[in-house]
Amino acid sequence: MGGENQYLQVILIQWLCLAVKNHDFGKFHLSKDANLAFNLYHNIAKEKDLDNILISPVVVASSLGMVAMGGKSSTASQVKSLLKADALKDDHLHTGLSELLNEVSDPQARKVTWKISNRLYGPSSVSFSDDFVKNSKKHYNYEHSKINFRDKRSAINSINEWAAKSTDGKLPEITKDVKNTDGAMIVNAMFFKPHWDEKFHHKMVDNRGFLVSRSHTISVPMMHRTDIYGFYEDTQNKLLVVSMPLAHKKSSMIFIMPYHVEPLDRLEKLLTRQQLDTWVSKLEERAVAISLPKVSMEVSHDLQKHLAELGLTEAVDKSKADLSNISGKKDLYLANVFHASALEWDTEGNPFDTSIYGSEKIRNPKLFYADHPFIFLVKDNKTNSILFMGRLVRPKGDKMTDEL
């Protein structure tokens, strides 16, 4: 690996928030404050009346790379600073981000369903530069489209229809409204469906109560299985951590859940890259009886203001933005960044290993019964990057009432 590419790997891992252990990266040290993905999550979590959260740090990073490609002077350098990529040449940044995303989302190698569609909308007055269109498609798989917001309802319907079509109907709506209609708009539309390394038995599914709060319970289908998983009980912080490998063991789903029903604020304050590293380092392979909601969730965030609060101040400011690589003129700013995902948990996966049943290995399993709000992450085992992070607070389902 060349020097530039080595630097690139380091800054990407910094940005994606997990240090690579036992690897000498020379004099390029991992910054202690390189927690942008976690900071973004925490910033979103501050929103009032927000239930579920779902973001893909690698997709956010690639979208920022596209903004850096479209930017000039201090607008571009500010994006690179946010990505901890100040020292990188532009072509190394774009190639590296592209290679990382292709690596972790390869459906054949990963045996994963992960549809990622990206589109940059511009006002009808803008003319996209041929070079920008070609390079942003090549590196970031971005489509480009003009949109006329004079008929706002029609424009919003058009965006939602594109998102639904590109996710095979899994993501029917990105937004009901668009506040800023005079600039460029990024839309990420994704559908992610993990395939477990060992499937759940489809008959081991039944309806149970999910406690959104102590006074609000929703009926959800719950799937159950007992197997050997990474497990850690943090008695000091009163929480459980479980790591379940996904198909081909190239990535894992990590669940972090408090002992009891409670708002997730306390857990979220603990959630940093360093703390996650600590929890992961303490996981022990042991028998776990796990119960998970068999649900789908659709979540859409407008990240524009959150990215601005984390340092992306120029690209989002109409009076300061220089995105002239996009159109050849300083006529655009980043008005909206819609980041929308549909996630589906179900029983599908590789055939299970029946040889451990009835053996000592799965006697006295620990219980992980996910019937109240929890945090989850999808961590790539090869690059250590975080593919998704989010929380499930309110699954879809009917409210249950106590019968006396």
Side-chain angles (χ1 to χ4, degrees):
M1 182 182 284
E4 285 281 357
N5 285 337
Q6 190 177 38
Y7 284 152
L8 177 69
Q9 186 173 351
V10 176
I11 65 98
L12 289 177
I13 290 166
Q14 278 189 301
W15 197 88
L16 298 164
C17 319
L18 283 170
V20 174
K21 296 179 178 67
N22 305 320
H23 197 107
D24 178 16
F25 286 110
K27 59 190 178 184
F28 198 108
H29 296 294
L30 289 170
S31 163
K32 288 181 181 176
D33 63 355
N35 284 319
L36 184 56
F38 287 92
N39 291 342
L40 182 58
Y41 175 94
H42 288 140
N43 213 285
I44 294 168
K46 285 185 206 165
E47 285 187 27
K48 289 181 179 175
D49 304 319
L50 180 69
D51 293 322
N52 304 331
I53 293 176
L54 186 56
I55 57 171
S56 171
V58 289
V59 173
V60 175
S62 69
S63 292
L64 288 171
M66 189 275 297
V67 176
M69 179 182 281
K72 280 187 182 175
S73 60
S74 55
T75 299
S77 58
Q78 193 179 67
V79 183
K80 288 178 76 175
S81 292
L82 200 61
L83 287 168
K84 298 284 186 277
D86 306 77
L88 280 181
K89 291 178 181 174
D90 288 353
D91 55 344
H92 287 282
L93 172 68
H94 302 314
T95 302
L97 283 169
S98 174
E99 286 176 358
L100 176 70
L101 193 57
N102 288 337
E103 160 75 31
V104 298
S105 62
D106 182 334
Q108 275 71 45
R110 301 285 166 144
K111 200 172 180 184
V112 65
T113 302
W114 193 4
K115 293 178 183 293
I116 306 168
S117 298
N118 302 307
R119 185 173 269 196
L120 179 69
Y121 287 94
S124 44
S125 57
V126 77
S127 295
F128 292 112
S129 144
D130 290 343
D131 274 354
F132 175 77
V133 168
K134 182 180 78 177
N135 289 322
S136 59
K137 186 163 186 62
K138 173 186 168 186
H139 290 297
Y140 299 115
N141 201 25
Y142 258 80
E143 300 174 18
H144 307 80
S145 181
K146 296 183 189 185
I147 193 157
N148 184 354
F149 271 104
R150 268 180 240 166
D151 183 348
K152 196 172 181 182
R153 182 174 290 181
S154 172
I156 291 168
N157 285 345
S158 172
I159 294 164
N160 288 334
E161 282 167 15
W162 169 78
K165 187 177 179 184
S166 60
T167 57
D168 296 334
K170 299 292 184 180
L171 197 62
E173 186 175 80
I174 294 278
T175 186
K176 287 182 166 64
D177 192 22
V178 174
K179 288 174 186 168
N180 305 319
T181 59
D182 57 346
M185 179 193 305
I186 285 174
V187 182
N188 308 130
M190 290 170 277
F191 171 54
F192 184 79
K193 181 178 179 180
H195 297 248
W196 308 108
D197 182 54
E198 290 191 31
K199 66 185 178 181
F200 289 74
H201 198 294
H202 66 279
K203 289 185 178 175
M204 294 284 287
V205 178
D206 56 7
N207 282 336
R208 303 280 179 101
F210 185 96
L211 290 80
V212 175
S213 66
R214 290 184 184 278
S215 59
H216 188 103
T217 304
I218 289 174
S219 174
V220 298
M222 194 83 86
M223 51 193 189
H224 319 272
R225 79 183 308 264
T226 300
D227 208 332
I228 308 298
Y229 296 119
F231 180 87
Y232 173 62
E233 180 174 358
D234 184 338
T235 52
Q236 183 183 346
N237 290 307
K238 297 183 172 57
L239 58 88
L240 302 172
V241 183
V242 168
S243 176
M244 295 179 67
L246 301 186
H248 293 195
K249 293 186 169 70
K250 291 182 186 287
S251 53
S252 300
M253 182 82 81
I254 298 170
F255 298 95
I256 306 161
M257 184 176 70
Y259 285 174
H260 307 295
V261 184
E262 62 173 273
L264 289 176
D265 317 21
R266 181 180 69 83
L267 249 66
E268 288 169 338
K269 283 181 183 141
L270 297 171
L271 189 64
T272 63
R273 182 194 66 203
Q274 291 84 357
Q275 182 61 65
L276 182 65
D277 274 336
T278 301
W279 284 328
V280 168
S281 72
K282 292 182 176 181
L283 291 170
E284 290 182 7
E285 295 293 310
R286 57 163 305 142
V288 182
I290 193 162
S291 296
L292 290 176
K294 180 180 177 287
V295 293
S296 61
M297 57 192 286
E298 297 89 40
V299 184
S300 181
H301 303 289
D302 187 352
L303 300 182
Q304 193 242 31
K305 66 176 181 180
H306 301 299
L307 291 170
E309 286 170 13
L310 297 177
L312 192 77
T313 55
E314 282 208 12
V316 302
D317 187 325
K318 197 173 179 178
S319 62
K320 293 180 183 172
D322 184 351
L323 297 174
S324 51
N325 279 341
I326 295 179
S327 64
K329 295 189 273 186
K330 284 177 70 172
D331 57 352
L332 282 176
Y333 76 108
L334 197 55
N336 302 275
V337 182
F338 287 112
H339 184 77
S341 312
L343 171 67
E344 209 169 89
W345 277 307
D346 73 4
T347 58
E348 289 178 29
N350 296 333
F352 30 74
D353 174 11
T354 55
S355 68
I356 65 166
Y357 295 123
S359 72
E360 289 292 314
K361 285 182 181 177
I362 59 168
R363 286 189 66 185
N364 303 317
K366 291 288 186 179
L367 298 180
F368 189 88
Y369 190 73
D371 71 339
H372 55 278
F374 55 83
I375 292 168
F376 60 90
L377 303 99
V378 181
K379 186 174 81 72
D380 184 61
N381 297 328
K382 182 175 178 183
T383 65
N384 262 346
S385 52
I386 296 173
L387 310 187
F388 275 96
M389 62 192 302
R391 70 184 186 197
L392 181 66
V393 170
R394 187 184 297 270
K396 284 184 277 190
D398 295 327
K399 184 175 179 181
M400 294 174 74
T401 53
D402 291 331
E403 292 182 11
L404 296 175

